[in-house]
Amino acid sequence: MASRAEAADAGGRRDWRDVVRDAADLALVGILLALAAIPLVTAAAAAGTASAAVHDWTRTGSWPPARATLRRFRRSVLPGVPVSLLALAVAGLLAADLVALATGRVPGGPPALLVT
């Protein structure tokens, strides 16, 4: 089966309802990604699983089965924990930097705060 991009290039006209349906599907993937990333430890696994699902959708034109998606998620939770913890540490350091700049503990804080 041709990919979604190839179908559009081949002159296949898409109805506005197709575009709205695709937008709604992608919005649902984004909502599910946000919900799965709430525990923070699962953020990397959620992003990887959503990315793989969208890749499958663009290649085949249909979403992968729920069982396959859950299997991908379970497989990627453990390897994604260090990445999620690293992202959390970086966010914490950035927050500490912003607090130091905002409270004036750093010389030139207000201009640096604007840049940051």
Side-chain angles (χ1 to χ4, degrees), residues 3-4 49-65 68-69 72:
S3 72
R4 299 180 81 74
T49 303
S51 175
V54 170
H55 177 266
D56 290 348
W57 176 68
T58 57
R59 284 289 180 210
T60 64
S62 64
W63 293 102
T69 302
R72 279 180 181 157

Side-chain angles (χ1 to χ4, degrees), residues 2-113:
S3 72
R4 299 180 81 74
E6 291 170 358
D9 292 342
R13 289 191 47 94
R14 295 181 46 172
D15 191 15
W16 66 271
R17 290 174 288 225
D18 295 330
V19 175
V20 170
R21 185 193 67 232
D22 291 347
D25 286 348
L26 289 174
L28 180 60
V29 168
I31 291 167
L32 292 174
L33 168 65
L35 290 175
I38 284 176
L40 290 179
V41 177
T42 60
T49 303
S51 175
V54 170
H55 177 266
D56 290 348
W57 176 68
T58 57
R59 284 289 180 210
T60 64
S62 64
W63 293 102
R67 185 170 285 166
T69 302
L70 288 173
R71 191 175 332 116
R72 279 180 181 157
F73 182 75
R74 280 193 306 261
R75 264 187 301 161
S76 59
V77 166
L78 211 52
V81 168
V83 175
S84 297
L85 293 177
L86 179 65
L88 186 61
V90 168
L93 289 173
L94 181 62
D97 181 47
L98 291 174
V99 166
L101 289 173
T103 58
R105 285 188 248 159
V106 178
L113 185 61

